[in-house]
């Protein structure tokens, strides 16, 4: 099972939607695949295979095929983000930034919320689960001279796609 989580956020980085896409690999060509999921609004996104659900148990009528499905979740994210905006070095809100010109900085700060406690040399220590976070945004052609730390800018001529990672 491969799983990708897409977090759609508000301008401050707070979560507005959480969409989870799952790929159930059916290497042995089974007729049925059983999965465990807490997702709601589950839908098959690449086929017409159907499923039944009982609690967290989801059984797909796979007919030998891989299953690609997605749904929504209310789960707490293991990694959250906060966005801070600056105009000419002064912190501003996204609303204050709209329509202005100058040097804009948008800072992404990530917080790892998932940890486990383990005994190390007889002491309880918090160990954070390692994650990689990728964030992206589309900036219109009114933005120019875009620079990204830990990421990349891709331009299609009228929009700039900014992708960063941590």
């Amino acid at each position: 099972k491969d799983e990708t989580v897409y977090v759609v956020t508000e301008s401050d980085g707070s979560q507005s939607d959480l969409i989870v896409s799952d790929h159930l690999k059916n290497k042995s060509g089974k007729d049925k695949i059983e999965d465990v999921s807490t997702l709601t609004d589950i839908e098959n996104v690449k086929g017409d295979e159907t499923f039944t659900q009982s609690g967290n148990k989801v059984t797909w009528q796979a007919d030998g095929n891989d299953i690609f499905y997605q749904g929504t979740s209310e789960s707490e994210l293991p990694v959250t983000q906060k966005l801070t905006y600056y105009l000419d070095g002064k912190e501003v809100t996204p609303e204050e930034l709209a329509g202005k010109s100058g040097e804009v900085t948008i800072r992404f700060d990530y917080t790892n919320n998932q940890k486990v406690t383990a005994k190390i040399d007889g002491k309880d220590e918090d160990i954070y689960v390692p994650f990689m976070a990728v964030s992206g945004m589309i900036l219109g052609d009114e933005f120019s001279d875009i620079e990204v730390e830990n990421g990349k800018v891709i331009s299609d001529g009228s929009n700039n796609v900014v992708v960063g990672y941590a």
Side-chain angles (χ1 to χ4, degrees):
K1 177 176 179 176
D2 285 335
E3 185 168 83
T4 304
V5 178
Y6 299 94
V7 182
V8 181
T9 67
E10 302 295 335
S11 57
D12 64 357
S14 63
Q15 173 185 327
S16 63
D17 289 311
L18 182 61
I19 302 165
V20 179
S21 290
D22 286 315
H23 174 195
L24 302 178
K25 297 179 181 179
N26 194 358
K27 292 183 180 186
S28 59
K30 293 181 181 178
D31 286 335
K32 290 187 178 192
I33 300 176
E34 291 186 358
D35 191 23
V36 176
S37 180
T38 59
L39 299 178
T40 57
D41 303 321
I42 292 175
E43 66 177 289
N44 187 335
V45 294
K46 195 176 181 182
D48 56 7
E49 297 85 4
T50 59
F51 68 93
T52 56
Q53 187 170 10
S54 176
N56 290 346
K57 182 180 173 183
V58 181
T59 304
W60 287 92
Q61 186 60 48
D63 298 327
N65 299 315
D66 284 7
I67 302 294
F68 295 84
Y69 74 93
Q70 72 179 27
T72 57
S73 176
E74 298 296 322
S75 298
E76 181 180 344
L77 293 172
V79 176
T80 52
Q81 67 180 358
K82 176 186 174 214
L83 277 70
T84 309
Y85 299 82
Y86 300 89
L87 178 61
D88 296 325
K90 179 183 171 207
E91 186 173 336
V92 294
T93 66
E95 296 77 21
E96 294 171 322
L97 183 60
K100 302 285 189 327
S101 63
E103 183 175 317
V104 175
T105 301
I106 304 173
R107 180 180 169 87
F108 287 73
D109 289 294
Y110 301 94
T111 301
N112 186 340
N113 302 311
Q114 194 161 359
K115 64 183 175 181
V116 295
T117 303
K119 278 213 181 296
I120 300 175
D121 293 331
K123 295 191 318 189
D124 285 340
E125 300 282 345
D126 289 336
I127 301 171
Y128 286 86
V129 176
F131 288 101
M132 178 179 171
V134 178
S135 296
M137 65 175 55
I138 298 172
L139 302 174
D141 62 0
E142 64 273 13
F143 287 86
S144 61
D145 300 322
I146 300 170
E147 296 177 18
V148 179
E149 290 181 28
N150 300 319
K152 181 127 177 98
V153 179
I154 303 163
S155 178
D156 69 4
S158 59
N159 291 301
N160 297 291
V161 178
V162 180
V163 178
Y165 62 90

